[in-house]
Amino acid sequence: MSRLIRNSLMMLLLMTLITGVAYPLVATGLAQLVFPRQANGSLIVKDGKPVGSVLIGQSFTDPKYFWGRPSATTPQANNGLNSGGSNLGPTNPALTDAVKQRIAALRAADPGNTAPVPVDLVTASASGLDPEISPAAAQYQLARVAKARGLGTAQVQALVNEYTSGRQLGVFGEPRVNVLQLNLALDAPRLASAYRPGED
């Protein structure tokens, strides 16, 4: 019996060392060697300081910025430690009320815009952390952002095009726009000096 217990403990120790120590160290080392940026969170750095991640959305409410997809995470939006959706069904009145409030906020920020509101601007995803919006959602906001910044729509459109990614391998997923990268590009000093009225 003591031999059986000893063998079991040795196997537990061995498997702990393999799966709990060696494997994580090898996986981490390979990730740092092959994909260092992704392994470290795909961080976006500005002026030497991290300002966010390509993989996690941020909340923007100022009219001069593109707004991302709503987030249902708690206790605050886009909380990477509490990823998850609202789990509200399509017939739940709370979901209907939330969508109506989001539509009202978009309309209030751009009263002259009568175009249909893209669905990804008023519904949260299952993760609650989406860093990207559809090209349609970016187009819906384009005139508002250009007006708020005193920029030409063609100039903002060029940036939207620059930060629009296509389908992966040409077939997987949908075209998408990274909101944080686009907003950081909008804040670049070169834009303010490049636009001349009448260039739309």
Side-chain angles (χ1 to χ4, degrees):
M1 185 66 169
S2 62
R3 181 180 175 187
L4 183 62
I5 293 173
R6 185 174 64 252
N7 289 343
S8 297
L9 290 174
M10 291 299 295
M11 182 58 71
L12 174 63
L13 178 62
L14 177 64
M15 294 308 294
T16 299
L17 290 173
I18 292 173
T19 62
V21 179
Y23 175 77
L25 287 175
V26 169
T28 301
L30 283 174
Q32 290 292 336
L33 182 66
V34 182
F35 305 108
R37 183 173 165 273
Q38 292 88 336
N40 290 310
S42 298
L43 297 178
I44 299 175
V45 177
K46 181 180 179 183
D47 299 328
K49 296 180 180 180
V51 294
S53 169
V54 173
L55 305 175
I56 298 179
Q58 292 189 16
S59 297
F60 293 94
T61 56
D62 192 312
K64 71 178 184 177
Y65 289 111
F66 283 88
W67 298 356
R69 191 163 186 186
S71 173
T73 63
T74 57
Q76 72 269 355
N78 299 296
N79 180 6
L81 297 176
N82 195 21
S83 175
S86 66
N87 293 327
L88 298 176
T91 59
N92 191 314
L95 177 61
T96 303
D97 291 342
V99 168
K100 287 179 179 177
Q101 290 173 6
R102 292 165 183 161
I103 290 174
L106 286 163
R107 297 290 192 206
D110 191 9
N113 190 346
T114 58
V117 178
V119 69
D120 54 321
L121 286 179
V122 294
T123 55
S125 69
S127 71
L129 303 176
D130 282 11
E132 298 157 331
I133 54 175
S134 66
Q139 289 299 318
Y140 178 85
Q141 303 178 75
L142 195 144
R144 182 200 78 217
V145 172
K147 181 179 178 182
R149 289 178 173 268
L151 296 173
T153 54
Q155 194 176 11
V156 179
Q157 179 69 67
L159 274 181
V160 170
N161 294 343
E162 183 179 343
Y163 288 94
T164 298
S165 301
R167 290 182 169 91
Q168 293 173 317
L169 302 177
V171 291
F172 298 112
E174 294 294 330
R176 59 215 180 275
V177 182
N178 189 284
V179 177
L180 178 57
Q181 288 180 317
L182 177 57
N183 285 336
L184 287 173
L186 281 166
D187 282 341
R190 62 186 171 90
L191 283 179
S193 59
Y195 177 64
R196 299 290 180 273
E199 290 181 348
D200 287 346

